[in-house]
Amino acid sequence: MAASSPLPPITLLPASAPDFYPIAALEAHVFYSEEFSAVAFGPTRDSRGNLLLREKTLASQPKEKGSKNVITKAVILKESGEEELVGAAGWSFHLTREDGVVNGEIGEEGIGDGKGEKKENGWGEGANVKLCEDVFLGAEKHIARSTEGRSYAKLNTLVVSPEYQRRGIGKLLIEDGLKEADRLGLQAVLGASKEGLGLYKKYGFTEFEVMEVRLWEYEGGEGMGLDRHVVMHRPAVK
C-alpha cells in the first residue's frame, strides 16, 4: 500500500454561521452509508431540507444559564487563501444543573459521532422517530446518571472527511475540546459507536452504559444487524 502523502498543516478555528451548512453536509456524507444512519434518518437524510434543519441545530445554544455550545472546524488553508473543511467537533459545556436535570427536562443535545442534537418533531423528514427517541433520548438519561447532577462537558459531534481520516485530525479536535473542559474543571461525556471506542479510551473515557440497538426491530431496518451505542464518561481533571 502506498504511503499517505504528507498532510498539509491543519488549523482549528471557531465555526460561525457560514460554516454550519457545510458541516451538516460533511456529517451526512460521512455517516450516510452506516446502517444506523439509514434506519434512524431515512433515505432523504442528506436532502437540502434535512441539512438546513441540521444547520439550524448546530447554530443553537443551550437554554440553561451559563452554558454554551461550541463548534470548532478543522481546515486546510490553501495558497489562494480559501479554506478546505476537513473536520469539525461540537461540544456543549453545561455549567449549571440541579438534580441531574437541565431546565426541568432532558437536555436537547444528541450524543457524539454527529448523529444527535435533534428534538422530537425535529429529527428530520423521513426519520424513524421511535428509533431516534430510543437511542438519543435514552442516552441522555444515561448521561444524566453518569454526571450525577454536576456540571459537565459533552462531545455532541465529531466528524472528519473520509479522505483525511486516520491522520490525527480527530485527535486534534478531541484534545481541543478537552482542553477547555479541563480549564473549566468539568467532567466529560459522549456517545460512541464501536469504531470510536479505542480513540476515546486513550483520553480517559470509560464505558458507562452500553446500548444495544436491534435495528431489525425498527421500520426500515429489516434484515439489518445489531448496533451498539456506548455512553462514555471521563472524570474531571483536577
Side-chain angles (χ1 to χ4, degrees):
M1 181 181 295
S4 300
S5 59
L7 185 65
I10 301 297
T11 301
L12 300 186
L13 298 170
S16 58
D19 301 309
F20 297 140
Y21 189 90
I23 291 173
L26 178 60
E27 286 181 339
H29 174 59
V30 169
F31 299 115
Y32 187 88
S33 61
E34 291 187 357
E35 285 190 344
F36 176 85
S37 180
V39 182
F41 301 118
T44 60
R45 55 195 178 277
D46 63 345
S47 68
R48 177 168 174 77
N50 282 341
L51 294 182
L52 287 171
L53 177 63
R54 180 61 174 153
E55 175 190 36
K56 181 178 179 180
T57 306
L58 289 170
S60 67
Q61 287 295 326
K63 296 178 181 178
E64 56 182 323
K65 183 178 179 181
S67 299
K68 62 181 178 179
N69 288 340
V70 176
I71 309 291
T72 300
K73 61 181 179 178
V75 301
I76 292 174
L77 300 177
K78 300 181 179 180
E79 292 183 0
S80 63
E82 296 181 353
E83 297 177 356
E84 178 183 358
L85 177 68
V86 296
W91 289 82
S92 57
F93 299 91
H94 298 270
L95 305 181
T96 55
R97 301 182 72 214
E98 293 181 6
D99 299 326
V101 178
V102 177
N103 280 347
E105 57 188 43
I106 295 174
E108 296 177 3
E109 296 79 6
I111 58 178
D113 296 346
K115 301 172 184 176
E117 290 197 352
K118 295 172 188 271
K119 296 181 288 184
E120 183 179 1
N121 299 323
W123 305 104
E125 179 185 1
N128 188 314
V129 174
K130 180 66 167 61
L131 176 56
C132 290
E133 289 179 343
D134 286 350
V135 173
F136 298 122
L137 298 188
E140 285 297 328
K141 294 178 181 178
H142 297 311
I143 285 173
R145 289 194 300 111
S146 73
T147 54
E148 298 180 330
R150 301 188 305 274
S151 298
Y152 67 100
K154 181 171 66 169
L155 177 62
N156 292 313
T157 184
L158 176 67
V159 61
V160 176
S161 181
E163 52 266 45
Y164 291 100
Q165 291 179 2
R166 301 186 182 281
R167 304 180 75 173
I169 297 174
K171 293 180 180 180
L172 288 175
L173 289 165
I174 293 173
E175 290 169 0
D176 181 70
L178 289 178
K179 181 179 179 181
E180 177 66 6
D182 292 345
R183 185 186 73 82
L184 296 170
L186 298 177
Q187 60 185 322
V189 293
L190 56 82
S193 62
K194 59 181 181 295
E195 292 81 7
L197 284 175
L199 175 61
Y200 297 132
K201 287 179 178 179
K202 291 179 180 179
Y203 289 95
F205 286 93
T206 58
E207 296 182 20
F208 178 81
E209 185 76 28
V210 178
M211 303 171 61
E212 293 191 341
V213 184
R214 297 174 176 83
L215 293 175
W216 66 86
E217 294 182 350
Y218 294 89
E219 182 179 356
E222 296 82 1
M224 294 188 182
L226 184 71
D227 197 85
R228 296 174 78 248
H229 290 254
V230 183
V231 173
M232 306 188 76
H233 178 268
R234 176 183 184 262
V237 175
K238 298 181 181 180

